[in-house]
Amino acid sequence: QVRAVESGGGLVQAGGSLRLSCAASESIVSIKGMGWYRQASGKQRESVALITSGTIISYADSVKGRFTISRDNAKNMVYLQMNSLKPEDTAVYYCNVDLRWDGRTWRPFGSWGQGTQVTVSS
């Protein structure tokens, strides 16, 4: 499985910004989809944003207009720019760098890392 290492989390005030980085263990040039997920305490892991090898980008409704996902194939990196952060964004954020289309949805096939903690204070 393709592995990923997340970084860039931290403590920020509501309304602030953070940029998360995800380093893939191998070339992502041929990878169809990559995505960011998050898991808040006591909640299920949820998809936040995904980007394909083409031009398709999608976001969860809760982060639309505030978060931006991007990729840099030359550096094997995926990023998540988070602006206008809210306390409800507090979670451990994970990157999966190998999403595959099964005909109805994108499914994560890459290995899960330790994630990076994002805490937003009121």
Side-chain angles (χ1 to χ4, degrees):
Q1 292 182 306
V2 182
R3 302 184 303 278
V5 178
E6 304 92 342
S7 63
L11 175 64
V12 65
Q13 295 180 1
S17 299
L18 285 173
R19 189 175 84 149
L20 307 184
S21 298
C22 171
S25 63
E26 61 188 69
S27 175
I28 62 172
V29 173
S30 62
I31 299 297
K32 295 296 192 303
M34 292 146 285
W36 284 94
Y37 297 74
R38 67 185 181 187
Q39 186 170 22
S41 180
K43 300 294 191 297
Q44 297 288 330
R45 178 155 46 203
E46 64 176 350
S47 176
V48 175
L50 70 85
I51 183 170
T52 72
S53 58
T55 59
I56 300 174
I57 300 174
S58 65
Y59 299 94
D61 288 342
S62 60
V63 307
K64 285 182 178 178
R66 300 188 296 119
F67 291 10
T68 303
I69 187 172
S70 61
R71 63 189 285 181
D72 187 336
N73 288 349
K75 297 181 179 180
N76 297 330
M77 298 287 289
V78 185
Y79 304 99
L80 185 69
Q81 178 67 45
M82 306 185 296
N83 299 326
S84 301
L85 283 162
K86 305 174 181 180
E88 51 262 46
D89 294 319
T90 295
V92 177
Y93 283 71
Y94 301 90
C95 178
N96 197 288
V97 294
D98 188 9
L99 306 185
R100 304 179 188 181
W101 181 252
D102 70 357
R104 64 177 182 85
T105 190
W106 291 93
R107 294 186 178 278
F109 277 78
S111 297
W112 296 106
Q114 295 300 306
T116 184
Q117 176 72 48
V118 172
T119 302
V120 184
S121 63
S122 300

